[in-house]
Amino acid sequence: MKNVIIVGATGATGSQLMQRLMNDPAVENIYVVHYRKTAFAHLDKVTEFTLDLAQFNTLNITNDIVADIDCAYCCLGTTRKKAGSLAAFRQVDKDYIVNFGTWVATNTKAQLHVISAVGANAKSASRYLQTKGETEQLLRQLPLTALFLYQPTLLHGKRDEFRLMEAVAYYPLAILSLLPLPLLKQQKPIAIDQLANAMYQLSQQVTDGHHVISSLEIQQY
């Protein structure tokens, strides 16, 4: 049996991943960490922990539970517009993620699966890609058993919010990705359920080390 822990379970990708985990008979316990109660709290497999994600080191899980966690998923992510400022965006997409990764590395021997972005680069002129790149760098420095970094391009699918830029960019990227050039094929928009499925399927592997899952690879799921 497998025990997993997840942050970002209520987001678009996180909720899709939760469906797969709930339907997997091999998953015995799902520990959901969130800043407030979620709709998953009443489910049989689920145990929720509510805390300020800025203080992940205060997460109070007993040692016997921690020792049995096999896999950790981080589906956190926001936009600068939704966060309200660049600083608030970086807190979610960098600080919270690194806080979670640090807790996983310090307390468990679990694999860590994290959503990043295609083009993530700490030296990028784009604040978004710069933040993603910095986050990846910090996670790679942690003594994790295994780290999986998923780098999807534009995500599309059902969300609880409308993102104008995603809607505007979807069709041009979808058309360009039809051209027989690897760089353009990588820009093909990724369905949210494809990303969730990639995270679920790859977490079934027993492996170690660092793995970057490209947008092209995610397209296969």
Side-chain angles (χ1 to χ4, degrees), residues 26-194:
V27 175
E28 184 174 14
N29 293 295
I30 304 171
Y31 303 107
V32 174
V33 181
H34 203 60
Y35 67 94
R36 62 185 179 189
K37 289 293 183 182
T38 77
F40 301 117
H42 69 284
L43 301 176
D44 289 341
K45 288 185 180 183
V46 173
T47 302
E48 275 198 356
F49 297 91
T50 305
L51 83 164
D52 181 350
L53 298 181
Q55 299 177 340
F56 217 100
N57 60 320
T58 65
L59 179 59
N60 186 21
I61 301 181
T62 59
N63 290 336
D64 57 331
I65 290 178
V66 169
D68 288 334
I69 293 177
D70 305 290
C71 194
Y73 303 98
C74 184
C75 300
L76 291 174
T78 188
T79 63
R80 182 169 177 173
K81 180 179 179 180
K82 184 176 180 180
S85 68
L86 175 61
F89 161 72
R90 285 173 61 82
Q91 183 179 44
V92 174
D93 276 52
K94 179 183 176 182
D95 298 345
Y96 288 177
I97 293 172
V98 174
N99 288 348
F100 179 54
T102 301
W103 183 89
V104 172
T106 302
N107 296 281
T108 80
K109 294 183 179 180
Q111 300 178 0
L112 176 61
H113 296 255
V114 179
I115 301 173
S116 183
V118 66
N121 187 332
K123 295 181 180 180
S124 174
S126 162
R127 290 289 192 172
Y128 177 82
L129 295 178
Q130 180 188 92
T131 299
K132 295 293 187 182
E134 290 174 356
T135 303
E136 288 192 3
Q137 282 187 347
L138 291 169
L139 291 173
R140 287 191 178 101
Q141 294 171 14
L142 298 173
L144 291 157
T145 300
L147 173 64
F148 289 76
L149 296 167
Y150 297 81
Q151 295 186 339
T153 182
L154 179 76
L155 291 173
H156 70 95
K158 185 178 180 180
R159 292 186 183 274
D160 58 5
E161 60 178 323
F162 177 70
R163 294 187 178 182
L164 177 61
M165 292 307 296
E166 288 185 3
V168 169
Y170 174 77
Y171 290 105
L173 288 175
I175 293 170
L176 286 173
S177 69
L178 296 175
L179 298 175
L181 297 172
L183 184 61
L184 293 177
K185 284 185 177 297
Q186 181 165 286
Q187 299 305 315
K188 182 180 179 180
I190 299 292
I192 290 168
D193 62 349
Q194 281 183 303

